Amino acid sequence: MVLHAGEAPLRVSLGRREYVLLCRESDASECEALARLGHAPDGIPGLFRLTAEGLSPASPASPR
């Protein structure tokens, strides 16, 4: 993923059972689009932040 998305923090959606969706956290319009997708009944709700330290819940505030 680092080769394609870089080393900046990523916004991650686990809302689909079959795959993970992500975007650069610095891209506000893509983060908004990701948030609008919601989640499937068998997916994990919410957005997460992926950094070198690991995965954590994303803050509801706008992307950095």
Side-chain angles (χ1 to χ4, degrees):
M1 282 191 316
V2 172
L3 290 174
H4 295 286
E7 293 190 24
L10 300 173
R11 190 63 57 105
V12 180
S13 170
L14 304 173
R16 304 289 184 271
R17 183 176 179 191
E18 296 82 14
Y19 53 90
V20 173
L21 298 171
L22 58 91
C23 65
R24 289 181 186 99
E25 194 172 71
S26 61
D27 189 335
S29 64
E30 290 299 321
C31 286
E32 289 172 13
L34 195 60
R36 285 192 305 268
L37 289 176
H39 67 281
D42 59 350
I44 299 171
L47 294 176
F48 299 87
R49 185 172 197 244
L50 181 62
T51 65
E53 289 78 39
L55 192 67
S56 60
S59 67
S62 61
R64 298 168 194 195

